[in-house]
């Protein structure tokens, strides 16, 4: 990991990684129409992550990150539901009214392998958040709109012997109001 503050209000980070996971539990056909979860698989991964963070004196903040990973079974097969590329860009700014802060986030997920060895498409999601954290001590109030542009996207379904679905449709635009009190 390399973490460097280039100037007081701008920092960058980069990391390279490699790991091996042993005895992964997988669903195995044991014959006679029966399946059983067994351990024994081995997964290897290597990747790179880069990020940057800039904060201005005005309180505006821009953050971004991108990561690439290559994850596969040691036997050579690709891992299900494991995107190669992920990205995120976030901008937030204080508003001049009532201690509010507005934030916009853009996320990217690359295509992912499904149980049937097809792929779900890559997708971009946008989120918008309005937060108030100084109305009362320990209280944070937020209003969030997830999937702002109502993007249609899917995730691979979990692999089980009883799951007849290959992909799961994800929800469209949603609105969330959150009250959080810390003491």
């Amino acid at each position: 990991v390399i973490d460097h503050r280039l100037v007081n209000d701008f920092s960058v980070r980069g990391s390279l990684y490699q790991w091996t996971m042993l005895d992964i539990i997988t669903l195995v056909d044991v014959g006679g129409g029966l399946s059983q979860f067994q351990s024994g698989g081995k997964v290897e991964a290597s990747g790179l992550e880069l990020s940057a963070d800039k904060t201005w004196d005005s309180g505006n903040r821009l953050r971004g990150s991108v990561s690439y990973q290559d994850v596969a079974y040691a036997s050579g097969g690709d891992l299900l539901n494991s995107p190669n590329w992920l990205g995120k860009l976030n901008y937030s700014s204080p508003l001049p009214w009532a201690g509010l802060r507005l934030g916009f986030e853009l996320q990217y997920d690359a295509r992912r392998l499904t149980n049937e060895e097809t792929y779900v498409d890559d997708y971009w999601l946008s989120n918008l958040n309005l937060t108030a954290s100084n109305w009362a001590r320990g209280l944070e109030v937020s209003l969030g709109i997830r999937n702002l542009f109502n993007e249609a996207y899917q995730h691979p379904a979990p692999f089980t012997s009883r799951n007849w679905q290959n992909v799961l449709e994800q929800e469209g635009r949603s609105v969330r109001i959150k009250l959080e009190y810390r003491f």
Side-chain angles (χ1 to χ4, degrees), residues 119-158:
Y119 286 90
V120 295
D121 292 334
D122 61 341
Y123 60 88
W124 294 86
L125 288 182
S126 299
N127 303 313
L128 190 64
N129 292 295
L130 183 63
T131 305
S133 58
N134 62 355
W135 288 354
R137 187 171 182 231
L139 178 67
E140 182 174 287
V141 180
S142 65
L143 169 67
I145 303 173
R146 179 163 164 71
N147 196 357
L148 182 64
F149 299 111
N150 204 27
E151 175 75 17
Y153 67 105
Q154 303 170 329
H155 285 181

Side-chain angles (χ1 to χ4, degrees), residues 38-78:
Q38 296 179 355
S39 63
K42 179 179 175 183
V43 173
E44 296 175 336
S46 58
L48 166 70
E49 297 179 23
L50 302 171
S51 65
D53 188 327
K54 167 74 174 163
T55 304
W56 288 269
D57 292 338
S58 63
N60 293 333
R61 186 174 187 190
L62 179 64
R63 295 181 291 174
S65 64
V66 64
S67 63
Y68 174 79
Q69 64 178 359
D70 182 20
V71 182
Y73 288 103
S75 61
D78 288 336

